[in-house]
Amino acid sequence: MSRRVFAMCLTAASMLATNAFCQSFLSQYKGLPYRDTRYQGGPQKIPGRVLCAYYDLGGEGVAYHDTDPQNHGSGELNPADGTYLNEFRIHEGVDTSYTKFDRKPDSIDDNPFDKIVPPRDLPYVGWTEPGEWFNITVDAAREGTYDAGFLYTSNRGGTISIDVNEKEATGPLQVPTTYDPADPVAWRQWHHWNLASSFFKIRLSKGKNILTVHILTGGNMNLAYFDFKQD
Ligand SMILES: [Ca+2]
Ligand SMILES: [Ca+2]
């Protein structure tokens, strides 16, 4: 066998191995696409908007890892009052809240220090710490590379990364800080929303893929959504 043919065989073998690895991960994964009384859309569609707060069902160690089992948003910052938004995923470890408009005396998420005004009543993942992660089952319309915009806040900067089917896909992604010393309200540094366009690109197979969002460094970020479009 010539060296070139041998190299081609090795490449083919490693592609087969990679494919087999993805298939075995997907067949063994116990998490399920998020659903509740309002959202019953199944795996989130790509191209399209993928909400972080709709991370998978399956609990700690399967669908996510969080630093503690409390949800510091639902039921804590947002008191349990029977409403959908205040009790959103209240018994899960991932910490979630939602964008609040028209609040007094200080505006919260519709504030003058937003780089972009986010959608109202949008659930998001907050209270993020290094080492935390969550999975999102998505459904890609076709095989190919997709470009993602990212709606977030980042009080102190930080890095995240994305895996596709348990394989690292992006490496560390620097999240630009949204800290603004001009804001006189200290706690509002957690609410300066920004849209990072073309934040990363990933390659997906047609159909079901599992995205894993890792908080690598920094924390203190609020993660709202990724807008995926075909690259
Ligand atoms: Ca928690
Ligand atoms: Ca957390």
Side-chain angles (χ1 to χ4, degrees):
M1 190 186 293
S2 75
R3 187 175 289 184
R4 182 153 173 271
V5 170
F6 180 66
M8 282 166 63
C9 288
L10 271 185
T11 305
S14 79
M15 280 171 68
L16 279 173
T18 301
N19 203 25
F21 176 81
C22 291
Q23 290 306 321
S24 80
F25 167 68
L26 285 174
S27 65
Q28 289 169 21
Y29 177 59
K30 298 284 195 293
L32 291 169
Y34 182 62
R35 61 177 294 150
D36 66 12
T37 53
R38 275 197 198 178
Y39 177 77
Q40 300 189 9
Q44 298 188 72
K45 306 282 188 293
I46 292 181
R49 180 163 296 179
V50 170
L51 267 64
C52 294
Y54 291 171
Y55 67 88
D56 285 355
L57 300 173
E60 169 68 35
V62 174
Y64 64 81
H65 168 62
D66 200 81
T67 305
D68 66 22
Q70 275 72 49
N71 186 331
H72 292 291
S74 300
E76 196 173 290
L77 177 72
N78 308 323
D81 61 0
T83 61
Y84 174 83
L85 287 170
N86 275 35
E87 298 194 3
F88 179 82
R89 309 193 80 165
I90 190 169
H91 298 300
E92 299 196 49
V94 176
D95 308 287
T96 52
S97 188
Y98 60 95
T99 54
K100 296 165 184 149
F101 281 34
D102 304 322
R103 301 297 173 102
K104 300 278 189 295
D106 298 308
S107 54
I108 301 181
D109 293 293
D110 52 343
N111 68 72
F113 302 92
D114 280 333
K115 320 282 184 234
I116 185 170
V117 180
R120 171 192 294 259
D121 294 340
L122 179 74
Y124 62 82
V125 172
W127 293 265
T128 49
E129 303 280 351
E132 295 184 340
W133 55 264
F134 55 85
N135 289 337
I136 309 173
T137 301
V138 298
D139 180 12
R142 59 190 73 83
E143 182 177 355
T145 303
Y146 292 86
D147 170 290
F150 176 38
L151 184 73
Y152 74 97
T153 82
S154 176
N155 189 345
R156 297 166 195 170
T159 51
I160 67 170
S161 69
I162 314 291
D163 298 344
V164 176
N165 300 325
E166 228 177 22
K167 279 196 71 189
E168 185 176 324
T170 63
L173 299 163
Q174 192 71 42
V175 180
T177 182
T178 52
Y179 181 85
D180 187 338
D183 191 340
V185 181
W187 55 258
R188 206 161 52 192
Q189 295 295 345
W190 278 275
H191 299 271
H192 299 164
W193 292 92
N194 187 30
L195 183 69
S197 59
S198 295
F199 187 60
F200 62 85
K201 294 182 199 296
I202 49 172
R203 189 160 182 84
L204 299 174
S205 313
K206 179 177 163 64
K208 180 176 168 182
N209 293 265
I210 312 295
L211 308 184
T212 306
V213 180
H214 292 273
I215 309 300
L216 298 180
T217 65
N220 275 279
M221 293 175 276
N222 291 326
L223 284 59
Y225 60 64
F226 301 109
D227 264 340
F228 284 98
K229 60 180 195 229
Q230 189 104 32
D231 190 38

